[in-house]
C-alpha cells in the first residue's frame, strides 16, 4: 500500500480471515472479494453447513474450523462473531499472528472491550475497533449482500494505543465497502449506541414480555389484534438472545442509567394519566413527537 | 335494505354525514361514494381548506361547517373526529337526528365512551361503536385511499342497548369497505387495544423523551447515530398529541396497569444486568423473541 493520504491509499491483502461468517462477516467477505481487496478470504467458524454456504455464496474462498490453521499468511483478521468470543479466540491463536497483522472487529460494544482486546494482541499486532451500523431483521450469510454497507455509518474507535496506519487502513477498507466512516472514542461509542440501539432493545424486549404477562390475565389472544404500531415497536425484539445478552453486559453501566431514564418517563406518563392532566399529557407527547420528527 | 342475512343484505343511504374528514373519515367517504353505498356524503369539519381538499379528493360531495345543517336527510352519521369531541357534537345536534338514524364512530377507545354516547343519542337513534384498526404514519384526507381498510380488522362493540339491525348495517358497511369485522365487548376492546396499541405508544413516547434527556447529558448528537432499530421502535411517537392525550385519558385504568407491567420488565432487565446474570438475560430475551415471532 502507499501511504500518501487515506483517500488515495491503495490497499491489498494477500489473505483476510473472517471469524464468524454471518450476515456482517459474510457481506464483508463478498465485498473484499468482489472489489479485489484480498487475494484470498478465509472463513473461520464452527458450523460446517454455514461455512459451506458461505463458500457457495462467494463470501469466502475457503474455511477452517480450527482458527489456528487460518493464521499463517493472514494480514487482516476480522472478528465478526459474538463479542464475548473475542478473548477466547485471541488467547488461543493471537500469539501466532505475525507482527504487522491488523485485527479489527464489527462488534456493537466497544469501551472496555477495546481495552481487553488491546491487552490480548501481541506486540506488533495492531487492533482497530470498528462497528458498522447496518443489519437486517434476518441474519446469516444467506442474507449477505455486497450492498449491505452502502451509505451505512461505520464507527471506528481508536485509542491512544492505536497504530495510525492500521487505523487508516481499516477506515479505507470500510470506505471501499461503501460505508461513511466516523472516528469516535470507544467509551463515547458505548454511550451513544447505548441510547440509540441498546436501550431501544431493552424497551422492545420489556414491552413484548409485558404483553405476554397481560395476555395471561385476559382471555383474548392479544396478538390477533395487533396493528402496524406494535409490529414496528417490537420488530427488534426478535433479535438474537446470545448477542444481546453480551451487549447488555458489556454496556451495563450505561444501560442501567438509560433504562432508569426510560422508567422515569413511564412514571411521568402514569402520573399524568392518574392526575387526568390533559395539558400535561399533550405536552409530553408533543415533546416526543418533535424529537421523533428530527429523526429522519 | 332487505334483512335476510348480514352477508346478503343490500344497504343504501340517501345521505351519510362524516364528522371529521381526515385520513379515516375521508377514506370512508371515498369508499361510500365509489361503491355506491350513499347518494350523498356530507363532510362536517372546522377547517375550510381541509373540507375543500376532501371535495377535490372525492371523499365528500359537500360540506357543512355548522353540523346542524348536515343533519336533515342524514341516515348515517360517522363520528371520525377526536373522541373527546363526541359529547359536544351530540349535545349540540343529537336531538335533531330523525328516529332510525344510525350513529357510528371510528374511535380508538370504546368502554366508557360507548356508554356516554348511548346516553346522549335520543330514543330511536341507534349508536354502534366501531374501530377500524388501520392507519398510516401520515394523516389527513390527502393521504386517504379507497384501499385503506382492505383486509384490515374492524372491531364493532355492541352492548345490551344496541339495535340488532343497526349493528348488522354497520357490520355490512365495514365489510363493503373491505374490512374483516369482529364483534367485541367495548370494555374488552379497551383492554386489548390498551395492550397492543396504547401501551406501545406510551413506550415509544417515553423512549423518545428518555433519549432527549440523555442527549442533554452528553455532547454527541445521538440521533445522528440512529439505525433502523430506533426508527422502527419510535415510529409511532410521531402521532398526534391531541388524539393520544384523549385515548390515554379514556383508557386510563387499563393503561396504568399496563404501564406498570412494562415497568416491571424494565426493572427485571436492570436487575439481571446489575447482577451480571448472563443466563437470566438470555432467558428473558428469548422469551421476548418467541413472543415477537408469534406476531406475524
Amino acid at each position: 500500500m502507499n501511504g500518501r493520504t487515506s483517500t488515495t491509499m491503495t490497499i491489498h491483502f494477500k489473505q483476510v480471515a473472517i471469524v464468524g461468517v454471518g450476515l456482517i462477516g459474510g457481506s464483508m467477505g463478498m465485498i473484499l472479494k468482489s472489489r479485489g481487496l484480498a487475494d484470498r478470504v478465509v472463513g473461520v467458524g464452527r458450523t460446517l453447513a454455514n461455512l459451506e454456504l458461505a463458500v457457495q455464496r462467494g463470501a469466502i474462498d475457503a474455511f477452517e474450523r480450527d482458527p489456528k490453521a487460518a493464521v499463517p499468511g493472514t494480514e487482516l483478521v476480522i472478528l465478526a462473531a459474538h463479542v464475548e468470543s473475542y478473548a477466547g479466540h485471541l488467547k488461543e491463536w493471537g500469539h501466532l499472528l505475525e507482527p504487522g497483522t491488523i485485527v479489527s472487529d464489527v462488534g456493537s460494544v466497544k469501551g472496555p472491550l477495546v481495552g481487553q482486546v488491546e491487552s490480548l494482541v501481541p506486540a506488533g499486532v495492531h487492533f482497530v475497533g470498528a462497528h458498522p451500523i447496518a443489519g437486517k431483521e434476518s441474519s446469516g450469510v444467506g442474507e449477505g449482500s455486497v450492498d449491505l454497507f452502502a451509505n451505512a455509518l461505520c464507527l471506528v474507535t481508536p485509542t491512544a494505543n492505536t497504530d495510525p496506519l492500521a487505523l487508516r487502513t481499516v477506515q479505507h477498507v470500510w470506505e471501499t465497502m461503501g460505508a461513511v466512516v466516523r472516528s469516535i472514542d470507544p467509551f463515547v461509542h458505548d454511550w451513544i449506541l447505548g441510547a440509540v440501539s441498546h436501550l431501544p432493545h431493552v424497551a422492545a424486549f420489556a414491552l413484548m414480555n409485558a404483553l405476554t404477562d397481560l395476555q395471561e390475565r385476559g382471555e383474548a389472544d392479544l396478538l390477533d389484534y395487533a396493528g402496524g404500531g406494535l409490529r414496528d415497536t417490537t420488530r427488534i425484539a426478535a433479535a438474537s438472545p446470545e448477542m444481546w445478552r453480551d451487549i447488555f453486559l458489556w454496556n451495563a453501566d450505561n444501560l442501567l442509567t438509560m433504562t432508569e431514564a426510560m422508567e422515569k418517563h413511564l412514571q411521568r406518563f402514569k402520573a399524568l394519566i392518574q392526575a387526568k392532566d390533559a395539558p400535561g399529557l399533550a405536552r409530553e407527547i408533543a415533546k416526543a413527537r418533535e424529537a421523533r420528527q428530527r429523526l429522519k
Side-chain angles (χ1 to χ4, degrees), chain A:
Chain A
M1 62 184 93
N2 75 57
R4 281 174 300 172
T5 80
S6 61
T7 50
T8 59
M9 77 196 292
T10 304
I11 291 176
H12 187 82
F13 300 101
K14 279 192 225 113
Q15 184 167 297
V16 175
I18 298 177
V19 181
V21 192
L23 175 66
I24 304 284
S27 298
M28 290 184 75
M30 289 173 196
I31 306 174
L32 288 167
K33 282 162 55 65
S34 67
R35 294 281 170 93
L37 279 168
D39 286 339
R40 188 163 184 266
V41 177
V42 185
V44 175
R46 285 171 305 189
T47 315
L48 189 61
N50 183 62
L51 293 166
E52 284 171 345
L53 177 63
V55 172
Q56 203 181 307
R57 297 268 295 132
I60 54 176
D61 295 293
F63 59 80
E64 299 288 352
R65 292 169 82 187
D66 177 3
K68 289 193 291 297
V71 169
T74 289
E75 294 166 316
L76 171 67
V77 177
I78 307 286
L79 302 171
H82 289 169
V83 294
E84 198 56 37
S85 71
Y86 292 4
H89 273 294
L90 291 171
K91 283 174 189 165
E92 186 186 348
W93 47 266
H95 61 283
L96 302 174
L97 298 170
E98 282 170 38
T101 304
I102 298 173
V103 176
S104 189
D105 82 323
V106 299
S108 299
V109 283
K110 287 287 173 276
L113 183 73
V114 168
Q116 185 199 59
V117 174
E118 284 182 345
S119 74
L120 288 171
V121 296
V125 170
H126 308 303
F127 176 69
V128 180
H131 175 203
I133 301 182
K136 297 188 190 182
E137 289 162 70
S138 42
S139 61
V141 67
E143 299 290 321
S145 141
V146 290
D147 302 320
L148 187 66
F149 309 113
N151 301 312
L153 187 60
C154 181
L155 302 175
V156 292
T157 57
T159 69
N161 306 316
T162 303
D163 179 77
L165 183 60
L167 173 61
R168 271 170 44 210
T169 303
V170 170
Q171 285 176 322
H172 190 81
V173 166
W174 279 105
E175 281 162 6
T176 309
M177 300 250 182
V180 176
V181 180
R182 202 179 292 183
S183 180
I184 192 170
D185 175 86
F187 288 90
V188 174
H189 169 280
D190 284 6
W191 170 260
I192 293 173
L193 271 290
V196 301
S197 170
H198 310 169
L199 176 62
H201 277 81
V202 174
F205 297 141
L207 175 58
M208 213 62 236
N209 286 347
L211 290 183
T212 300
D213 284 1
L214 295 170
Q215 170 73 62
E216 285 160 11
R217 293 193 214 170
E219 279 162 34
D221 196 342
L222 294 176
L223 298 190
D224 277 0
Y225 297 84
L230 182 65
R231 279 191 179 75
D232 284 348
T233 319
T234 59
R235 185 161 290 125
I236 55 178
S240 155
E242 294 72 27
M243 177 173 159
W244 284 94
R245 170 198 66 198
D246 295 347
I247 291 171
F248 288 0
L249 292 174
W250 277 98
N251 202 16
D253 291 348
N254 286 329
L255 261 183
L256 291 173
T257 303
M258 289 168 172
T259 305
E260 269 160 28
M262 170 129 187
E263 268 183 275
K264 196 192 75 183
H265 282 283
L266 287 182
Q267 284 157 7
R268 186 171 295 177
F269 272 105
K270 260 180 26 191
L272 292 166
I273 290 170
Q274 201 142 28
K276 309 262 178 219
D277 182 346
L281 275 173
R283 256 197 316 273
E284 285 297 306
I285 299 172
K287 225 175 77 181
R289 180 193 217 186
E290 279 158 34
R292 182 56 180 81
Q293 284 172 338
R294 284 199 300 275
L295 181 61
K296 292 296 164 242

